[in-house]
Amino acid sequence: MRRSHFRRTLAAVTLAATALTLAGCSGDDEEPTADSSPQAVAGGSTLDSTWPLTGLEVTGDESAAQDHPVIVTKIDNTSSSAPQVGLGSADMVVEELVEGGLTRLAVFFYSDLPDEVGPVRSMRASDIGIVSSTDATVVTSGAAPRTIKRISGAGIDFVAEGAAGITRATDRSAPYNVMADLTTIADKIDQQDEVRPDDYLPWGDESDFPQGQKATAITASFGGHTTEWKYQGGSYQNTNGYAGQGDEFSADNVLVLRVKVGDAGYLDPAGNPVPETEFEGKGEAMLFHGGQLVRGTWQKDGLDGTITLSTKAGKLTVPAGHTWIELVPQDNGSVQFN
């Protein structure tokens, strides 16, 4: 797998800046080659003509092999983050548990890089399982020292405060004022070749989606935070989110994966244990699309493995489109719908 070299070439400024910002963190199938035949996917499209994070067809003269890697930005998901910036440009979002039963967003950008996203917050060890399969670069405000050690040990590149493209907004309060220009960050990433990342999810066509049960309202609870969705106008809208008006993430799919949660082994500055989502193995899956729910199971072999979905009838694919993934704890979380 390819690796960007931004962290290594700017190690001094990035790691030094990370050290300064730690106190502000809250606890803190094979890739096709040039001479190989494109791999076919559902609907007759090929990997080189679809976007890896949405499964949607690439239009015009564009290519799904970009001159930058997938860029995942860690964005705050509390009322203090309002208004969140950049969600409307994202390909995909993963919501993960953090300390206190709250959540944080891992926002995936690839087909479109906005010049402002945020507020940017710190990484967690949970991010290893979330970003590894795409060989992504993570944009973060920093992280706890043991988290940095584990993220680096997993071979994940990250860009922290102090690097070009990450600034502090003067109209927001710290630590909710770190913003990122992904165009500037992408320009600084030394990517040797344009390589299309692997598909994040098993994409399929609308016609592949099986008949499910009606479900137009969803509530995903993480303990201290719930995320609510309403199916309207052909997509799912987050009715209690913090995105700026006109900058909301409109989801074609909401994919709920019930996950095990362990202990990261340290406390945040407020004394709360920091949880760690164990995003590998298997568990219950709930795929919401078109106002319907299909139940199944998910499987992921290793933290860097890709996600597969299945029902009792066999393989389950996700209709191509923008997807919000809820990593809901299987023990202390819950999912309701009507």
Side-chain angles (χ1 to χ4, degrees), residues 9-276:
T9 56
L10 293 182
V13 62
T14 302
L15 293 179
T18 300
L20 291 174
T21 59
L22 291 178
C25 298
S26 59
D28 310 311
D29 349 359
E30 181 180 1
E31 293 180 351
T33 57
D35 58 353
S36 65
S37 299
Q39 180 180 342
V41 295
S45 297
T46 55
L47 282 179
D48 58 0
S49 64
T50 59
W51 294 109
L53 302 180
T54 63
L56 295 172
E57 287 192 28
V58 177
T59 60
D61 296 329
E62 295 179 317
S63 170
Q66 300 291 287
D67 60 358
H68 59 79
V70 172
I71 298 179
V72 177
T73 306
K74 296 303 302 295
I75 294 183
D76 188 80
N77 197 41
T78 67
S79 59
S80 298
S81 67
Q84 294 166 330
V85 178
L87 292 190
S89 299
D91 290 317
M92 185 180 72
V93 178
V94 178
E95 184 171 8
E96 62 184 286
L97 178 71
V98 292
E99 53 275 15
L102 302 178
T103 65
R104 191 156 294 176
L105 306 181
V107 187
F108 285 64
F109 298 91
Y110 186 64
S111 63
D112 183 21
L113 297 182
D115 58 12
E116 185 179 35
V117 299
V120 179
R121 298 300 307 277
S122 56
M123 300 180 290
R124 297 292 184 274
S126 302
D127 295 320
I128 297 173
I130 293 173
V131 310
S132 291
S133 66
T134 61
D135 205 26
T137 293
V138 180
V139 175
T140 176
S141 61
R146 67 175 63 196
T147 299
I148 291 178
K149 183 177 180 179
R150 291 186 60 187
I151 293 286
S152 298
I156 296 172
D157 289 337
F158 63 90
V159 180
E161 187 175 6
I166 302 181
T167 58
R168 292 261 178 177
T170 59
D171 58 345
R172 292 173 180 257
S173 299
Y176 308 99
N177 61 343
V178 181
M179 308 299 287
D181 179 347
L182 300 191
T183 60
T184 296
I185 291 172
D187 285 343
K188 298 295 182 179
I189 294 176
D190 179 17
Q191 180 169 276
Q192 301 297 325
D193 303 298
E194 295 184 10
V195 180
R196 180 195 184 280
D198 292 337
D199 285 340
Y200 195 89
L201 291 170
W203 302 113
D205 287 342
E206 183 83 25
S207 59
D208 299 327
F209 191 71
Q211 182 68 34
Q213 62 188 114
K214 188 175 181 180
T216 58
I218 313 164
T219 300
S221 176
F222 290 79
H225 173 79
T226 60
T227 298
E228 300 172 359
W229 296 92
K230 182 70 175 179
Y231 182 70
Q232 53 190 15
S235 63
Y236 294 90
Q237 305 299 323
N238 182 190
T239 58
N240 67 333
Y242 307 109
Q245 186 174 4
D247 200 11
E248 300 91 347
F249 184 88
S250 184
D252 299 294
N253 310 293
V254 176
L255 176 60
V256 177
L257 305 179
R258 302 304 300 270
V259 296
K260 294 180 181 180
V261 176
D263 190 334
Y266 65 99
L267 306 178
D268 73 355
N272 297 307
V274 177
E276 181 177 344

Side-chain angles (χ1 to χ4, degrees), residues 275-337:
E276 181 177 344
T277 296
E278 301 174 4
F279 198 21
E280 60 181 330
K282 58 185 178 180
E284 177 189 0
M286 304 171 71
L287 176 55
F288 297 86
H289 173 78
Q292 297 187 68
L293 161 64
V294 171
R295 296 178 180 270
T297 58
W298 66 271
Q299 184 167 333
K300 189 170 179 283
D301 297 332
L303 292 175
D304 60 351
T306 56
I307 300 167
T308 60
L309 302 170
S310 61
T311 66
K312 292 181 179 180
K315 180 182 177 181
L316 176 63
T317 59
V318 180
H322 293 81
T323 303
W324 185 293
I325 302 177
E326 303 279 18
L327 297 183
V328 178
Q330 66 178 26
D331 292 333
N332 300 320
S334 64
V335 183
Q336 298 179 338
F337 62 91

